[in-house]
Amino acid sequence: MEINKIGILTSGGDAPGMNAAIRAVVRSAVDKNIKVIGIRRGYEGLLSGDILELSARSVSDIIHRGGTFLLTARCKDMMQQDGIERAHKVCKVLAIDALIVVGGDGSFKGAQKLSKLGTNVIGIPATIDLDLDCTDYTIGFDTAVNTGMSSINKIRDTSTSHERCSLVEVMGRHAGHIALWCSLTAGAEEVLIPEMNRISTEEIVQEIFSNRALGKSHNLIIVAEGVGNTIKMAQDIENMTGIETRATILGHLQRGGSPTALDRMHASIMGYDAVESLLNGKKNRVIVYRDGKYLDIDINEALSYKKTLDKRMYKIIKVLGT
Ligand code: F6P
């Protein structure tokens, strides 16, 4: 099938590097005389026809910017069959030969449903959470971890000076990848993530006491957002230990900022490969990075994987944080 016109949208939570991916798609398409329609606010903009034509110049000066200049949204209508059917019709009216979706799991599920109706879709994985099971990497993760790590470094300084216990909550409602990476790279002694059995506050208190007995003068504990109630946990720890304890919630700080080199690299290659995949006649694919290689795989296959968490990382955090 000839590719003359494509649409691109970013959907779900934004991720640093999304702009670099849009730039790569637009410039790779323009290079092959393919027209590109930008769709604003993800699937919401698709449903309301909020579109703009993109040229090579429309994507100047965005490679280094966080967020997404196309804007993004979590579109509830795409969870209903009626919304999917309307979105499919808009793609037909726009006469786009393929829709490129830059986002995470939820965004790809919407794309998968669109593909069943006949819209040709290509997914580019972008979420700070790294929770897409089909790929070793998702655009935005490295920037989020670096932001988390450098924030924790600063908290560590003041925690050391005051000989306090510090709890830092990082993003990840359902996934603990950011928490694990931040813990290992910032030297935390404990990490709580939604994928593992909850450690009781009593057990954490025991750890704090034993680490203090080993000569530690302050404590650093990372909590993934999905574990919940970090502030209450900090209060309980203070009450149970008598050690001044503070909680810091990093929140959306980790979703912003200029993308790291790694994120720009993956975004640029995945964006280029998305267009290449279409030019090679492929349909309904997701661009993935696996075992050091970029591949395009069928979207149904992409959504059928279940990623296992690297439990070894947890063990290493505990050994190195003692
Ligand atoms: O995009 C992923 C993510 O940042 C999660 O880590 C977090 O739980 C969630 O999005 C927050 O979503 P919102 O910005 O809608 O509050």
Side-chain angles (χ1 to χ4, degrees):
M1 183 183 142
E2 217 182 314
I3 304 290
N4 296 309
K5 196 182 190 187
I6 59 174
I8 180 164
L9 58 81
T10 47
S11 163
D14 62 350
M18 278 183 162
N19 278 328
I22 302 167
R23 171 183 178 271
V25 166
V26 172
R27 295 218 170 143
S28 307
V30 168
D31 184 56
K32 301 289 180 198
N33 295 318
I34 299 170
K35 279 197 182 148
V36 189
I37 299 286
I39 298 151
R40 287 153 53 92
R41 297 188 185 82
Y43 291 113
E44 276 189 8
L46 183 64
L47 290 170
S48 62
D50 189 357
I51 59 163
L52 68 159
E53 254 187 54
L54 297 177
S55 68
R57 290 287 70 74
S58 326
V59 291
S60 294
D61 282 335
I62 62 167
I63 193 168
H64 61 302
R65 292 189 203 284
T68 160
F69 92 105
L70 284 178
L71 310 179
T72 187
R74 300 188 199 274
C75 179
K76 293 211 172 79
D77 285 3
M78 280 299 280
M79 290 171 189
Q80 311 294 331
Q81 189 55 27
D82 171 62
I84 312 277
E85 277 165 24
R86 282 194 290 132
H88 171 63
K89 276 187 197 143
V90 178
C91 288
K92 274 188 149 174
V93 171
L94 293 175
I96 51 174
D97 300 309
L99 177 67
I100 298 189
V101 174
V102 186
D105 195 51
S107 312
F108 286 2
K109 282 187 180 137
Q112 183 187 33
K113 287 179 193 147
L114 273 176
S115 74
K116 302 241 184 287
L117 297 182
T119 299
N120 187 11
V121 294
I122 302 275
I124 297 180
T127 163
I128 63 163
D129 284 349
L130 195 71
D131 61 345
L132 260 169
D133 303 333
C134 56
T135 179
D136 295 345
Y137 195 76
T138 60
I139 297 163
F141 178 70
D142 188 58
T143 309
V145 169
N146 274 288
T147 302
M149 181 191 71
S150 53
S151 308
I152 297 164
N153 288 345
K154 291 172 184 154
I155 293 167
R156 173 189 273 280
D157 286 347
T158 170
S159 185
T160 315
S161 306
H162 287 264
E163 299 173 283
R164 280 176 174 159
C165 172
S166 295
L167 269 63
V168 185
E169 183 180 300
V170 298
M171 269 197 162
R173 205 173 283 158
H174 306 291
H177 302 285
I178 295 178
L180 283 177
W181 279 62
C182 282
S183 300
L184 196 51
T185 57
E189 60 203 68
E190 182 57 270
V191 53
L192 279 69
I193 55 174
E195 295 92 334
M196 287 178 72
N197 288 340
R198 174 77 195 267
I199 304 166
S200 69
T201 308
E202 286 74 18
E203 283 171 288
I204 295 171
V205 164
Q206 277 317 310
E207 275 181 16
I208 292 169
F209 281 139
S210 57
N211 279 336
R212 293 260 168 168
L214 288 169
K216 277 202 168 224
S217 59
H218 76 109
N219 309 87
L220 187 53
I221 298 163
I222 309 300
V223 186
E225 178 191 352
V227 171
N229 227 340
T230 308
I231 293 175
K232 162 95 172 41
M233 206 188 302
Q235 283 162 352
D236 290 346
I237 290 172
E238 179 164 299
N239 292 339
M240 289 159 82
T241 58
I243 296 167
E244 276 190 322
T245 303
R246 297 286 186 269
T248 308
I249 296 173
L250 297 184
H252 290 82
L253 191 80
Q254 296 150 99
R255 274 232 310 254
S258 181
T260 59
L262 190 71
D263 276 323
R264 295 180 201 195
M265 184 81 175
H266 283 298
S268 301
I269 294 173
M270 286 178 169
Y272 176 88
D273 281 357
V275 175
E276 278 289 294
S277 173
L278 288 171
L279 290 169
N280 289 334
K282 307 270 187 79
K283 286 186 105 180
N284 306 323
R285 315 297 286 178
V286 172
I287 309 298
V288 298
Y289 182 72
R290 273 209 214 136
D291 301 327
K293 288 195 184 77
Y294 296 94
L295 308 165
D296 62 32
I297 62 169
D298 182 80
I299 191 160
N300 298 311
E301 183 194 340
L303 288 170
S304 70
Y305 288 103
K306 191 89 209 99
K307 193 183 259 172
T308 49
L309 198 87
D310 187 357
K311 294 240 170 80
R312 209 170 92 91
M313 239 172 123
Y314 180 74
K315 270 194 208 152
I316 299 173
I317 290 162
K318 299 289 291 181
V319 171
L320 305 190
T322 317

